[in-house]
Amino acid sequence: MTAQKHLPTQRHTVFQNSLMSALLDGIYDGELTVGELLGHGNFGIGTFDALDGEMIVLDGVCYQVRGDGTARQADLTQRSPFTVMTNFVPLIESRPPEGLRRGELSGFIDELQPSENYMYAVRITGRFSTVTVRTVTKQDKPYRPMVEATGDDAELTFTDVEGVIGGFRTPVYEKGIGVPGCHVHFIDAARTAGGHVLDFTLAAGSVELCPGTDLELRLPLTTQFSTAELTPGDLDEQIHRTEVKR
Protein backbone atom coordinates (compact mmCIF):
# COMPACT_ATOMS: atom_id res chain seq x y z
CA MET A 1 0.00 0.00 0.00
CA THR A 2 1.38 3.40 -0.93
CA ALA A 3 1.01 6.06 1.71
CA GLN A 4 -0.77 9.32 0.97
CA LYS A 5 0.55 12.37 2.77
CA HIS A 6 -2.70 13.46 4.38
CA LEU A 7 -2.49 15.36 7.65
CA PRO A 8 -4.20 13.66 10.61
CA THR A 9 -7.93 14.42 10.73
CA GLN A 10 -8.80 12.39 13.83
CA ARG A 11 -7.34 12.79 17.29
CA HIS A 12 -5.25 9.93 18.64
CA THR A 13 -3.68 9.84 22.10
CA VAL A 14 -0.17 8.81 23.08
CA PHE A 15 0.12 8.08 26.80
CA GLN A 16 3.45 8.59 28.57
CA ASN A 17 4.48 7.57 32.06
CA SER A 18 7.11 10.01 33.50
CA LEU A 19 9.87 11.81 31.56
CA MET A 20 12.99 10.71 29.75
CA SER A 21 14.94 13.35 31.69
CA ALA A 22 13.74 11.77 34.96
CA LEU A 23 15.00 8.39 33.79
CA LEU A 24 18.36 9.98 32.91
CA ASP A 25 18.55 11.33 36.47
CA GLY A 26 18.15 7.86 37.97
CA ILE A 27 14.41 7.76 38.74
CA TYR A 28 14.04 4.00 38.18
CA ASP A 29 11.16 3.14 40.52
CA GLY A 30 7.74 3.24 38.89
CA GLU A 31 4.19 3.81 40.13
CA LEU A 32 2.29 2.12 37.30
CA THR A 33 2.01 -1.63 36.82
CA VAL A 34 2.08 -3.39 33.47
CA GLY A 35 -1.60 -4.16 33.95
CA GLU A 36 -2.39 -0.46 34.40
CA LEU A 37 -0.25 0.49 31.41
CA LEU A 38 -2.13 -1.95 29.17
CA GLY A 39 -5.22 0.06 29.99
CA HIS A 40 -3.63 2.91 28.03
CA GLY A 41 -2.85 1.02 24.83
CA ASN A 42 -1.89 -2.18 23.05
CA PHE A 43 1.49 -0.96 21.75
CA GLY A 44 4.46 0.68 23.41
CA ILE A 45 7.99 0.66 24.74
CA GLY A 46 9.69 1.47 28.02
CA THR A 47 11.64 -0.15 30.82
CA PHE A 48 11.01 -1.82 34.18
CA ASP A 49 11.76 -0.97 37.81
CA ALA A 50 15.50 -0.71 38.50
CA LEU A 51 16.13 -0.69 34.72
CA ASP A 52 15.49 -4.42 34.70
CA GLY A 53 15.40 -4.78 30.93
CA GLU A 54 13.71 -3.26 27.91
CA MET A 55 9.93 -3.28 27.41
CA ILE A 56 8.06 -3.76 24.16
CA VAL A 57 4.28 -4.11 23.95
CA LEU A 58 2.78 -5.66 20.82
CA ASP A 59 -0.88 -6.52 20.23
CA GLY A 60 -1.66 -5.99 23.91
CA VAL A 61 1.08 -8.29 25.22
CA CYS A 62 3.98 -6.84 27.24
CA TYR A 63 7.42 -8.42 26.87
CA GLN A 64 10.50 -7.95 29.03
CA VAL A 65 13.91 -8.26 27.36
CA ARG A 66 16.58 -8.92 29.97
CA GLY A 67 20.25 -7.93 29.95
CA ASP A 68 21.31 -11.10 28.13
CA GLY A 69 18.91 -10.39 25.26
CA THR A 70 16.37 -13.07 26.19
CA ALA A 71 12.68 -12.13 26.22
CA ARG A 72 9.69 -13.26 28.28
CA GLN A 73 6.12 -12.15 28.78
CA ALA A 74 6.06 -9.66 31.64
CA ASP A 75 3.93 -10.11 34.72
CA LEU A 76 0.98 -7.73 35.06
CA THR A 77 2.21 -6.71 38.52
CA GLN A 78 5.64 -5.53 37.35
CA ARG A 79 6.12 -1.77 37.41
CA SER A 80 7.66 0.72 35.01
CA PRO A 81 9.41 4.06 35.64
CA PHE A 82 9.10 5.16 31.98
CA THR A 83 6.72 3.99 29.28
CA VAL A 84 5.16 5.31 26.07
CA MET A 85 1.89 3.64 25.01
CA THR A 86 -0.86 3.97 22.40
CA ASN A 87 -3.56 1.96 20.69
CA PHE A 88 -1.87 1.17 17.39
CA VAL A 89 -3.98 2.06 14.36
CA PRO A 90 -1.83 1.82 11.18
CA LEU A 91 -3.13 4.75 9.15
CA ILE A 92 0.02 4.86 7.00
CA GLU A 93 1.44 1.66 5.50
CA SER A 94 4.15 0.98 2.94
CA ARG A 95 6.70 -1.61 1.79
CA PRO A 96 10.17 -0.05 1.55
CA PRO A 97 12.84 -1.20 -0.91
CA GLU A 98 14.71 -4.29 0.23
CA GLY A 99 18.03 -4.12 2.03
CA LEU A 100 17.74 -0.68 3.68
CA ARG A 101 19.85 0.05 6.75
CA ARG A 102 18.43 2.02 9.66
CA GLY A 103 19.55 5.42 8.40
CA GLU A 104 18.23 4.73 4.91
CA LEU A 105 14.90 3.44 6.21
CA SER A 106 14.64 6.50 8.44
CA GLY A 107 14.80 8.68 5.33
CA PHE A 108 12.15 6.53 3.69
CA ILE A 109 9.86 6.95 6.72
CA ASP A 110 10.50 10.72 6.69
CA GLU A 111 8.86 10.79 3.28
CA LEU A 112 5.84 8.87 4.58
CA GLN A 113 5.17 11.28 7.44
CA PRO A 114 2.74 14.05 6.50
CA SER A 115 4.32 16.36 9.10
CA GLU A 116 7.31 16.40 11.45
CA ASN A 117 5.24 18.09 14.15
CA TYR A 118 3.24 15.06 15.31
CA MET A 119 4.21 11.92 17.18
CA TYR A 120 4.19 8.61 15.31
CA ALA A 121 4.06 5.09 16.63
CA VAL A 122 6.08 3.00 14.17
CA ARG A 123 6.05 -0.73 13.59
CA ILE A 124 8.48 -2.42 11.18
CA THR A 125 7.70 -6.07 10.53
CA GLY A 126 9.72 -8.45 8.39
CA ARG A 127 12.97 -10.28 7.92
CA PHE A 128 16.15 -8.53 9.01
CA SER A 129 19.62 -9.31 7.69
CA THR A 130 21.03 -7.97 10.96
CA VAL A 131 19.72 -6.27 14.08
CA THR A 132 22.17 -4.85 16.61
CA VAL A 133 20.73 -4.22 20.07
CA ARG A 134 21.72 -3.52 23.64
CA THR A 135 19.69 -4.00 26.80
CA VAL A 136 19.80 -2.24 30.14
CA THR A 137 20.56 -4.41 33.16
CA LYS A 138 18.97 -4.35 36.61
CA GLN A 139 20.45 -1.75 38.95
CA ASP A 140 20.92 -1.69 42.71
CA LYS A 141 20.17 1.24 45.00
CA PRO A 142 21.40 3.89 45.33
CA TYR A 143 20.72 4.24 41.60
CA ARG A 144 23.35 5.75 39.36
CA PRO A 145 22.45 8.25 36.61
CA MET A 146 21.53 6.48 33.39
CA VAL A 147 24.70 7.44 31.53
CA GLU A 148 26.63 5.48 34.16
CA ALA A 149 24.12 2.66 34.48
CA THR A 150 24.16 1.93 30.75
CA GLY A 151 27.89 2.40 30.25
CA ASP A 152 28.69 -1.31 30.31
CA ASP A 153 25.70 -2.60 28.35
CA ALA A 154 26.77 -5.34 25.96
CA GLU A 155 25.77 -5.25 22.30
CA LEU A 156 24.17 -8.25 20.63
CA THR A 157 23.69 -8.82 16.90
CA PHE A 158 20.99 -11.05 15.45
CA THR A 159 21.42 -12.23 11.85
CA ASP A 160 18.82 -13.39 9.32
CA VAL A 161 15.99 -13.04 11.82
CA GLU A 162 12.27 -12.38 11.52
CA GLY A 163 10.64 -10.05 13.98
CA VAL A 164 9.23 -6.65 14.81
CA ILE A 165 10.84 -3.30 15.53
CA GLY A 166 8.45 -1.05 17.38
CA GLY A 167 8.56 2.33 19.02
CA PHE A 168 7.99 6.04 18.50
CA ARG A 169 9.23 8.87 16.32
CA THR A 170 9.10 11.97 18.49
CA PRO A 171 9.43 15.66 17.46
CA VAL A 172 12.54 17.51 18.57
CA TYR A 173 10.44 19.92 20.63
CA GLU A 174 9.69 17.04 23.03
CA LYS A 175 13.36 16.66 23.99
CA GLY A 176 13.55 15.74 27.66
CA ILE A 177 9.90 14.71 27.75
CA GLY A 178 10.68 11.81 25.42
CA VAL A 179 13.53 10.74 23.16
CA PRO A 180 13.64 13.07 20.14
CA GLY A 181 13.93 11.23 16.84
CA CYS A 182 13.31 7.51 16.61
CA HIS A 183 13.30 5.35 19.76
CA VAL A 184 12.63 1.69 18.95
CA HIS A 185 12.95 -1.80 20.44
CA PHE A 186 13.18 -5.19 18.70
CA ILE A 187 11.71 -8.60 19.45
CA ASP A 188 12.00 -11.68 17.26
CA ALA A 189 9.03 -13.54 15.77
CA ALA A 190 9.26 -16.25 18.44
CA ARG A 191 9.14 -13.53 21.16
CA THR A 192 12.23 -15.00 22.79
CA ALA A 193 14.94 -12.38 22.15
CA GLY A 194 15.39 -8.68 21.43
CA GLY A 195 16.58 -5.37 22.83
CA HIS A 196 16.97 -1.63 22.33
CA VAL A 197 17.78 -1.09 18.65
CA LEU A 198 21.10 0.47 17.68
CA ASP A 199 21.19 -0.51 14.01
CA PHE A 200 19.60 -2.91 11.56
CA THR A 201 19.22 -3.88 7.92
CA LEU A 202 15.70 -4.72 6.76
CA ALA A 203 15.95 -7.47 4.17
CA ALA A 204 12.24 -7.29 3.35
CA GLY A 205 9.17 -6.14 5.21
CA SER A 206 6.57 -3.48 5.87
CA VAL A 207 6.37 -0.17 7.71
CA GLU A 208 3.25 1.01 9.54
CA LEU A 209 2.76 4.41 11.15
CA CYS A 210 0.14 5.52 13.63
CA PRO A 211 0.03 9.33 14.01
CA GLY A 212 -0.45 10.74 17.49
CA THR A 213 -2.04 14.16 17.97
CA ASP A 214 -2.54 14.23 21.75
CA LEU A 215 -0.02 13.54 24.53
CA GLU A 216 -1.32 12.37 27.92
CA LEU A 217 1.57 12.81 30.34
CA ARG A 218 1.53 11.28 33.81
CA LEU A 219 4.18 12.54 36.22
CA PRO A 220 5.28 10.64 39.35
CA LEU A 221 4.18 11.81 42.80
CA THR A 222 7.43 10.96 44.55
CA THR A 223 10.12 12.80 46.47
CA GLN A 224 12.70 11.49 44.00
CA PHE A 225 10.88 13.06 41.06
CA SER A 226 10.22 16.32 42.93
CA THR A 227 13.95 16.78 43.56
CA ALA A 228 15.27 15.40 40.24
CA GLU A 229 17.43 17.44 37.87
CA LEU A 230 15.17 17.53 34.82
CA THR A 231 16.93 20.23 32.78
CA PRO A 232 20.64 19.31 32.75
CA GLY A 233 22.88 21.41 30.55
CA ASP A 234 24.17 18.32 28.78
CA LEU A 235 20.75 16.81 28.02
CA ASP A 236 21.58 16.23 24.33
CA GLU A 237 24.79 14.40 25.21
CA GLN A 238 23.09 12.24 27.85
CA ILE A 239 20.33 11.17 25.45
CA HIS A 240 22.87 10.38 22.76
CA ARG A 241 25.05 8.33 25.13
CA THR A 242 22.15 6.31 26.56
CA GLU A 243 19.97 5.84 23.48
CA VAL A 244 22.31 5.92 20.48
CA LYS A 245 25.66 4.80 21.94
CA ARG A 246 27.47 5.03 18.62
Side-chain angles (χ1 to χ4, degrees), residues 202-235:
L202 178 63
S206 63
V207 172
E208 300 169 296
L209 298 179
C210 172
T213 60
D214 296 18
L215 176 63
E216 181 182 348
L217 182 61
R218 186 183 191 277
L219 300 179
L221 295 175
T222 63
T223 301
Q224 291 79 11
F225 182 85
S226 298
T227 58
E229 174 53 72
L230 301 179
T231 56
D234 62 344
L235 180 60

Short mmCIF file of all heavy atoms in Angstrom, two decimals, residues 202-235:
data_model
loop_
_atom_site.label_atom_id
_atom_site.label_comp_id
_atom_site.label_asym_id
_atom_site.label_seq_id
_atom_site.Cartn_x
_atom_site.Cartn_y
_atom_site.Cartn_z
N LEU A 202 16.97 -4.05 7.06
CA LEU A 202 15.70 -4.72 6.76
C LEU A 202 15.83 -5.40 5.41
O LEU A 202 15.89 -4.74 4.37
CB LEU A 202 14.56 -3.70 6.75
CG LEU A 202 13.17 -4.24 6.40
CD1 LEU A 202 12.70 -5.25 7.44
CD2 LEU A 202 12.16 -3.10 6.25
N ALA A 203 15.86 -6.74 5.43
CA ALA A 203 15.95 -7.47 4.17
C ALA A 203 14.68 -7.29 3.36
O ALA A 203 14.72 -7.01 2.16
CB ALA A 203 16.21 -8.96 4.45
N ALA A 204 13.53 -7.48 4.00
CA ALA A 204 12.24 -7.29 3.35
C ALA A 204 11.17 -7.19 4.42
O ALA A 204 11.20 -7.92 5.40
CB ALA A 204 11.93 -8.45 2.41
N GLY A 205 10.22 -6.27 4.22
CA GLY A 205 9.17 -6.14 5.21
C GLY A 205 8.28 -4.95 4.96
O GLY A 205 8.29 -4.36 3.87
N SER A 206 7.53 -4.57 5.98
CA SER A 206 6.57 -3.48 5.87
C SER A 206 6.77 -2.48 7.00
O SER A 206 7.30 -2.80 8.06
CB SER A 206 5.13 -4.02 5.93
OG SER A 206 4.88 -4.64 7.18
N VAL A 207 6.33 -1.25 6.73
CA VAL A 207 6.37 -0.17 7.71
C VAL A 207 4.95 0.33 7.92
O VAL A 207 4.21 0.57 6.96
CB VAL A 207 7.26 1.00 7.23
CG1 VAL A 207 7.14 2.20 8.16
CG2 VAL A 207 8.71 0.56 7.12
N GLU A 208 4.56 0.47 9.19
CA GLU A 208 3.25 1.01 9.54
C GLU A 208 3.45 2.17 10.51
O GLU A 208 4.24 2.07 11.44
CB GLU A 208 2.38 -0.07 10.19
CG GLU A 208 2.11 -1.27 9.31
CD GLU A 208 1.49 -2.40 10.11
OE1 GLU A 208 2.16 -2.92 11.02
OE2 GLU A 208 0.32 -2.74 9.81
N LEU A 209 2.70 3.24 10.29
CA LEU A 209 2.76 4.41 11.15
C LEU A 209 1.38 4.73 11.70
O LEU A 209 0.38 4.65 10.98
CB LEU A 209 3.29 5.63 10.39
CG LEU A 209 4.70 5.57 9.80
CD1 LEU A 209 5.00 6.88 9.08
CD2 LEU A 209 5.72 5.31 10.88
N CYS A 210 1.37 5.10 12.96
CA CYS A 210 0.14 5.52 13.63
C CYS A 210 0.37 6.93 14.17
O CYS A 210 1.10 7.10 15.16
CB CYS A 210 -0.19 4.55 14.76
SG CYS A 210 -1.57 5.06 15.82
N PRO A 211 -0.19 7.96 13.54
CA PRO A 211 0.03 9.33 14.01
C PRO A 211 -0.61 9.58 15.36
O PRO A 211 -1.71 9.09 15.65
CB PRO A 211 -0.65 10.19 12.92
CG PRO A 211 -0.82 9.28 11.74
CD PRO A 211 -1.01 7.91 12.32
N GLY A 212 0.08 10.34 16.20
CA GLY A 212 -0.45 10.74 17.49
C GLY A 212 -0.60 12.25 17.55
O GLY A 212 0.35 12.99 17.26
N THR A 213 -1.78 12.72 17.91
CA THR A 213 -2.04 14.16 17.97
C THR A 213 -2.11 14.69 19.39
O THR A 213 -1.96 15.90 19.61
CB THR A 213 -3.37 14.49 17.26
OG1 THR A 213 -4.43 13.79 17.93
CG2 THR A 213 -3.33 14.07 15.80
N ASP A 214 -2.37 13.81 20.36
CA ASP A 214 -2.54 14.23 21.75
C ASP A 214 -1.56 13.46 22.64
O ASP A 214 -1.39 12.25 22.48
CB ASP A 214 -3.95 13.95 22.25
CG ASP A 214 -5.01 14.74 21.50
OD1 ASP A 214 -4.72 15.25 20.39
OD2 ASP A 214 -6.14 14.85 22.00
N LEU A 215 -0.94 14.17 23.58
CA LEU A 215 -0.02 13.54 24.53
C LEU A 215 -0.62 13.61 25.93
O LEU A 215 -0.86 14.69 26.47
CB LEU A 215 1.34 14.23 24.52
CG LEU A 215 2.37 13.72 25.54
CD1 LEU A 215 2.72 12.26 25.25
CD2 LEU A 215 3.62 14.59 25.51
N GLU A 216 -0.87 12.45 26.52
CA GLU A 216 -1.32 12.37 27.92
C GLU A 216 -0.11 12.02 28.77
O GLU A 216 0.42 10.92 28.68
CB GLU A 216 -2.42 11.32 28.09
CG GLU A 216 -2.93 11.21 29.52
CD GLU A 216 -3.97 10.13 29.71
OE1 GLU A 216 -4.49 9.61 28.70
OE2 GLU A 216 -4.27 9.81 30.88
N LEU A 217 0.33 12.97 29.58
CA LEU A 217 1.57 12.81 30.34
C LEU A 217 1.25 12.65 31.81
O LEU A 217 0.58 13.49 32.42
CB LEU A 217 2.46 14.04 30.12
CG LEU A 217 3.82 14.06 30.79
CD1 LEU A 217 4.68 12.89 30.31
CD2 LEU A 217 4.52 15.39 30.52
N ARG A 218 1.75 11.56 32.39
CA ARG A 218 1.53 11.28 33.81
C ARG A 218 2.86 11.37 34.55
O ARG A 218 3.78 10.61 34.28
CB ARG A 218 0.93 9.88 34.00
CG ARG A 218 0.52 9.55 35.43
CD ARG A 218 0.01 8.11 35.50
NE ARG A 218 -0.64 7.78 36.75
CZ ARG A 218 -0.02 7.43 37.87
NH1 ARG A 218 1.30 7.37 37.90
NH2 ARG A 218 -0.72 7.12 38.95
N LEU A 219 2.95 12.32 35.48
CA LEU A 219 4.18 12.54 36.22
C LEU A 219 4.12 11.85 37.58
O LEU A 219 3.06 11.78 38.20
CB LEU A 219 4.42 14.04 36.43
CG LEU A 219 4.55 14.87 35.15
CD1 LEU A 219 4.76 16.33 35.50
CD2 LEU A 219 5.68 14.36 34.27
N PRO A 220 5.25 11.34 38.06
CA PRO A 220 5.28 10.64 39.35
C PRO A 220 5.03 11.59 40.52
O PRO A 220 5.42 12.76 40.48
CB PRO A 220 6.71 10.06 39.42
CG PRO A 220 7.21 10.09 38.02
CD PRO A 220 6.56 11.26 37.37
N LEU A 221 4.38 11.07 41.55
CA LEU A 221 4.18 11.81 42.80
C LEU A 221 5.12 11.26 43.85
O LEU A 221 4.71 10.64 44.84
CB LEU A 221 2.72 11.69 43.26
CG LEU A 221 1.66 12.31 42.35
CD1 LEU A 221 0.26 12.00 42.87
CD2 LEU A 221 1.87 13.81 42.23
N THR A 222 6.42 11.49 43.64
CA THR A 222 7.43 10.96 44.55
C THR A 222 8.42 12.05 44.91
O THR A 222 8.61 13.02 44.17
CB THR A 222 8.20 9.79 43.92
OG1 THR A 222 8.91 10.28 42.75
CG2 THR A 222 7.25 8.67 43.51
N THR A 223 9.07 11.87 46.06
CA THR A 223 10.12 12.80 46.47
C THR A 223 11.27 12.79 45.46
O THR A 223 11.84 13.84 45.14
CB THR A 223 10.64 12.43 47.86
OG1 THR A 223 9.57 12.48 48.79
CG2 THR A 223 11.76 13.37 48.29
N GLN A 224 11.60 11.61 44.96
CA GLN A 224 12.70 11.49 44.00
C GLN A 224 12.43 12.33 42.75
O GLN A 224 13.32 13.03 42.25
CB GLN A 224 12.92 10.02 43.62
CG GLN A 224 13.47 9.16 44.74
CD GLN A 224 12.40 8.75 45.74
OE1 GLN A 224 11.21 8.93 45.50
NE2 GLN A 224 12.84 8.19 46.87
N PHE A 225 11.20 12.27 42.24
CA PHE A 225 10.88 13.06 41.06
C PHE A 225 10.86 14.55 41.39
O PHE A 225 11.34 15.38 40.61
CB PHE A 225 9.53 12.64 40.48
CG PHE A 225 9.15 13.38 39.23
CD1 PHE A 225 9.61 12.96 37.99
CD2 PHE A 225 8.34 14.52 39.29
CE1 PHE A 225 9.27 13.65 36.84
CE2 PHE A 225 8.01 15.21 38.14
CZ PHE A 225 8.47 14.77 36.91
N SER A 226 10.33 14.91 42.55
CA SER A 226 10.22 16.32 42.93
C SER A 226 11.58 16.99 43.03
O SER A 226 11.71 18.20 42.79
CB SER A 226 9.48 16.44 44.27
OG SER A 226 8.17 15.95 44.17
N THR A 227 12.61 16.21 43.38
CA THR A 227 13.95 16.78 43.56
C THR A 227 14.90 16.44 42.41
O THR A 227 16.08 16.77 42.48
CB THR A 227 14.55 16.27 44.88
OG1 THR A 227 14.60 14.84 44.86
CG2 THR A 227 13.70 16.72 46.06
N ALA A 228 14.40 15.82 41.35
CA ALA A 228 15.27 15.40 40.24
C ALA A 228 15.75 16.60 39.43
O ALA A 228 15.09 17.64 39.37
CB ALA A 228 14.52 14.43 39.33
N GLU A 229 16.90 16.43 38.78
CA GLU A 229 17.43 17.44 37.87
C GLU A 229 16.91 17.12 36.48
O GLU A 229 17.41 16.23 35.79
CB GLU A 229 18.96 17.42 37.89
CG GLU A 229 19.62 18.34 36.87
CD GLU A 229 19.11 19.77 36.95
OE1 GLU A 229 19.46 20.46 37.92
OE2 GLU A 229 18.35 20.17 36.04
N LEU A 230 15.87 17.85 36.07
CA LEU A 230 15.17 17.53 34.82
C LEU A 230 15.61 18.38 33.64
O LEU A 230 15.16 18.14 32.51
CB LEU A 230 13.66 17.67 35.03
CG LEU A 230 13.05 16.78 36.13
CD1 LEU A 230 11.55 17.03 36.24
CD2 LEU A 230 13.34 15.31 35.85
N THR A 231 16.47 19.37 33.88
CA THR A 231 16.93 20.23 32.78
C THR A 231 18.46 20.35 32.81
O THR A 231 19.01 21.44 32.91
CB THR A 231 16.29 21.63 32.85
OG1 THR A 231 16.57 22.20 34.15
CG2 THR A 231 14.80 21.56 32.63
N PRO A 232 19.18 19.23 32.73
CA PRO A 232 20.64 19.31 32.75
C PRO A 232 21.17 20.02 31.51
O PRO A 232 20.57 19.95 30.43
CB PRO A 232 21.06 17.83 32.77
CG PRO A 232 19.93 17.12 32.10
CD PRO A 232 18.69 17.86 32.53
N GLY A 233 22.30 20.68 31.68
CA GLY A 233 22.88 21.41 30.55
C GLY A 233 23.37 20.51 29.45
O GLY A 233 23.49 20.94 28.29
N ASP A 234 23.67 19.25 29.78
CA ASP A 234 24.17 18.32 28.78
C ASP A 234 23.11 17.29 28.38
O ASP A 234 23.42 16.13 28.11
CB ASP A 234 25.42 17.60 29.30
CG ASP A 234 25.15 16.77 30.54
OD1 ASP A 234 24.09 16.97 31.18
OD2 ASP A 234 25.99 15.91 30.89
N LEU A 235 21.85 17.73 28.32
CA LEU A 235 20.75 16.81 28.02
C LEU A 235 20.95 16.10 26.68
O LEU A 235 20.75 14.89 26.58
CB LEU A 235 19.42 17.57 28.01
CG LEU A 235 18.16 16.75 27.70
CD1 LEU A 235 17.97 15.64 28.71
CD2 LEU A 235 16.94 17.66 27.66
#
